[in-house]
C-alpha cells in the first residue's frame, strides 16, 4: 500500500537557522513527488515536482531533493515569511495524490 | 498562469439549504478535482473528473453532488449537509490524471450550522 510519512510534525526555527524536512514514501512505481506550501485557511501552493532519484530543484531559500525512498526539503536561512505547513505528496498508480500529514514550520525573528 | 479560482470564499449554510461551490481554470487542464480539508489534516480527495467525465468518487455521501459543465468549470452541489461537513473545500486541476502538477485554488470555507 502506498504510504507517505513526513517528519518532523512541527519545526520551530530562528530566522537564519537552516534546517531540513523529510518525506519518506513507499509507492509502486513513482509517478512524481510533489511539495506544496500551505498557509492557514488557504489552498496549497505548488513548490516542486520531482520524478527521479538524484533530481534536485531550487527556488529562493528552498531546495528539494529526491532519493529512491525519501525526499528532503531544505530551508536555507529562513525568514518569518517561510512560516507555513509544508505538504509532501506522491502520485499513485491511479493518478491520485497521497499526502503526508505535513510539517508545520514556524520561523521566529 | 497557474490560477484556479473558487467561489464563494466563505459559505454558511443550514442543514436544509441547497448551495453550490464553483471552480474555474483556464490552463487547458483536462483533469479537475474536489478535495475536503479539515483543520490540521492534509487534503482528502472526494472526486476526480477527467475529460469532463467522473472518473473517481471516493465513496462520498450523496449529499455532495459534483458536476463538470465544461472543461473549464467544476461545481459541487451541496444539499442536506451535516455540521461535520464543515471544512475547507479545495478545487484543483492538472494536465491529466496521470500527468502534470495539480494546482489548487484558494478554497471555500464552509460552515454548516
Amino acid at each position: 500500500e502506498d504510504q507517505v510519512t513526513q517528519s518532523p510534525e512541527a519545526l520551530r526555527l530562528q530566522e537564519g537557522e537552516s534546517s531540513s524536512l523529510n518525506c519518506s514514501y513507499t509507492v509502486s512505481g513513482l509517478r512524481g513527488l510533489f511539495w506544496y506550501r500551505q498557509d492557514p485557511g488557504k489552498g496549497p501552493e505548488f513548490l516542486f515536482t520531482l520524478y527521479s532519484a538524484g533530481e534536485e530543484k531550487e527556488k529562493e531559500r528552498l531546495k528539494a531533493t529526491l532519493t529512491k525512498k525519501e525526499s528532503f526539503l531544505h530551508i536555507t536561512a529562513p525568514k518569518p515569511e517561510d512560516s507555513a505547513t509544508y505538504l509532501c505528496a506522491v502520485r499513485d498508480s491511479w493518478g491520485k495524490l497521497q499526502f503526508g500529514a505535513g510539517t508545520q514550520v514556524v520561523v521566529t525573528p | 498562469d497557474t490560477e484556479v479560482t473558487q467561489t464563494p470564499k466563505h459559505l454558511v449554510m443550514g442543514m436544509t439549504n441547497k448551495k453550490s461551490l464553483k471552480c474555474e481554470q483556464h490552463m487547458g487542464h483536462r483533469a479537475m478535482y474536489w478535495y475536503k480539508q479539515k483543520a490540521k489534516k492534509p487534503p482528502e480527495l472526494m472526486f476526480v473528473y477527467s475529460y469532463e467525465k467522473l472518473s473517481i468518487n471516493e465513496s462520498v455521501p450523496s449529499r455532495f453532488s459534483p458536476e463538470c459543465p465544461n472543461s473549464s468549470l467544476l461545481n459541487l452541489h451541496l444539499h442536506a449537509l451535516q455540521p461535520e461537513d464543515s471544512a475547507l473545500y479545495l478545487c484543483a486541476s492538472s494536465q491529466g490524471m496521470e500527468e502534470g502538477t495539480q494546482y489548487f485554488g484558494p478554497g471555500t470555507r464552509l460552515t454548516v450550522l
Side-chain angles (χ1 to χ4, degrees):
Chain A
E1 185 183 322
D2 300 334
Q3 202 164 13
V4 181
T5 304
Q6 290 188 247
S7 61
E9 287 182 16
L11 189 58
R12 193 171 184 88
L13 301 170
Q14 292 273 11
E15 186 171 0
E17 179 189 359
S18 301
S19 189
S20 293
L21 284 54
N22 177 266
C23 172
S24 63
Y25 63 91
T26 53
V27 63
S28 50
L30 184 66
R31 293 165 179 79
L33 184 141
F34 305 85
W35 282 100
Y36 293 88
R37 168 205 168 112
Q38 187 172 26
D39 293 309
K42 297 191 177 179
E45 175 190 341
F46 169 68
L47 294 174
F48 304 109
T49 305
L50 302 165
Y51 285 103
S52 51
E55 195 173 353
E56 296 183 354
K57 290 201 175 161
E58 225 167 323
K59 178 181 174 180
E60 296 180 358
R61 295 177 293 282
L62 300 177
K63 179 179 176 180
T65 61
L66 182 65
T67 72
K68 287 187 178 176
K69 292 186 179 178
E70 57 192 350
S71 176
F72 292 93
L73 184 66
H74 308 278
I75 311 179
T76 302
K79 298 183 177 182
E81 52 262 43
D82 295 321
S83 298
T85 295
Y86 291 86
L87 293 165
C88 169
V90 297
R91 181 157 43 212
D92 67 16
S93 56
W94 294 96
K96 299 188 288 186
L97 289 187
Q98 301 288 344
F99 282 91
T103 294
Q104 185 178 14
V105 174
V106 174
V107 183
T108 56
Chain B
D1 182 17
T2 56
E3 189 178 21
V4 176
T5 59
Q6 289 186 243
T7 54
K9 284 190 169 62
H10 302 277
L11 179 62
V12 179
M13 59 187 291
M15 289 191 285
T16 58
N17 292 157
K18 284 186 183 181
K19 297 285 184 184
S20 297
L21 310 185
K22 296 186 184 305
C23 172
E24 193 166 1
Q25 57 88 14
H26 294 288
M27 294 178 276
H29 288 174
R30 308 308 297 196
M32 295 186 76
Y33 311 77
W34 280 116
Y35 287 84
K36 173 182 177 179
Q37 187 176 27
K38 294 284 234 180
K40 300 202 180 293
K41 296 287 187 184
E44 182 182 329
L45 184 66
M46 299 174 72
F47 302 103
V48 183
Y49 274 83
S50 178
Y51 290 87
E52 301 167 46
K53 286 188 168 45
L54 183 64
S55 291
I56 295 176
N57 175 343
E58 294 285 83
S59 303
V60 178
S62 59
R63 57 186 184 267
F64 296 91
S65 175
E67 179 196 18
C68 189
N70 61 54
S71 59
S72 301
L73 291 174
L74 188 65
N75 297 323
L76 186 63
H77 302 298
L78 314 172
H79 177 232
L81 294 193
Q82 305 295 312
E84 58 264 29
D85 296 322
S86 299
L88 182 68
Y89 287 84
L90 296 163
C91 174
S93 71
S94 63
Q95 280 181 298
M97 272 188 66
E98 297 182 20
E99 60 176 321
T101 295
Q102 284 189 30
Y103 294 95
F104 286 82
T108 294
R109 169 67 61 191
L110 174 67
T111 303
V112 182
L113 301 176

